[in-house]
Amino acid sequence: DFIDGALGTPEALAIVEAVKDKIRTYPAGDVFATMDTHTPDYLATQEGENLPVEHCIDGTPGWEIRPDIAALLGGARIYEKPTFGSVDLARDLQELAAREAVELELVGLCTDICVVSNALLLKAAMPEVRISVDAACCAGVTPEKHLAALETMRSCQIHVENA
């Protein structure tokens, strides 16, 4: 739904190939993905009241990961999340970082909602871990909001690449 569905944008479509190329640069076991996962009562939630566009309803085609991207996620850990950021992802990566040195790179949609939320959760959980975001592999709700989110992340010591 975020690429070419209910909340799709030309900017989201434009980053698909770059995201696929980025995924290919990592071993499958080092890839983590999140999926917006909403229930049929989405419009009755706080998010649904503020963003009254049904999207990513569990089990619908718009919820599914695009087939060409899904094909690259065979060994990836995928987190379904009911809201902007994934607390489970942050917890699991924090546990991983306690066992070994890690650097984290984020890509995806939407820069100004889910990407920034996850980046800030991760930075709060692991302030000494290098966290970056590849701006060329992200798109916001609008180009202006994309740029604003990148600036917010820079302010919080998240490295912004390819801006």
Side-chain angles (χ1 to χ4, degrees):
D1 274 342
F2 282 98
I3 297 171
D4 55 10
L7 296 173
T9 64
E11 294 81 14
L13 281 169
I15 68 165
V16 169
E17 292 305 315
V19 168
K20 289 166 42 178
D21 289 344
K22 179 65 72 173
I23 293 168
R24 290 183 188 105
T25 68
Y26 287 98
D30 290 347
V31 175
F32 297 76
T34 63
M35 296 175 65
D36 248 25
T37 302
H38 299 299
T39 56
D41 69 341
Y42 169 77
L43 293 176
T45 67
Q46 183 174 327
E47 180 182 332
E49 291 173 8
N50 289 292
L51 177 62
V53 178
E54 286 190 342
H55 66 282
C56 300
I57 305 299
D58 193 359
T60 66
W63 169 77
E64 296 175 4
I65 297 172
R66 268 176 70 114
D68 53 341
I69 294 174
L72 301 173
L73 299 178
R77 287 174 257 187
I78 300 174
Y79 294 79
E80 294 179 14
K81 59 183 188 56
T83 189
F84 310 128
S86 174
V87 174
D88 293 335
L89 172 67
R91 181 200 62 235
D92 289 354
L93 289 174
Q94 187 177 33
E95 289 173 6
L96 179 65
R99 294 190 309 269
E100 62 185 80
V102 298
E103 289 187 7
L104 305 174
E105 181 178 35
L106 283 74
V107 303
L109 304 168
C110 293
T111 318
D112 51 310
I113 302 173
C114 297
V115 176
V116 70
S117 295
N118 280 307
L120 295 174
L121 277 169
L122 292 167
K123 194 64 174 173
M126 299 169 285
E128 295 304 318
V129 169
R130 185 183 196 282
I131 299 172
S132 64
V133 61
D134 186 338
C137 293
C138 295
V141 172
T142 66
E144 296 78 18
K145 288 186 177 195
H146 169 75
L147 294 174
L150 295 176
E151 193 55 38
T152 295
M153 288 185 276
R154 278 188 196 99
S155 295
C156 293
Q157 300 177 1
I158 293 161
H159 301 269
V160 177
E161 312 288 338
N162 299 315

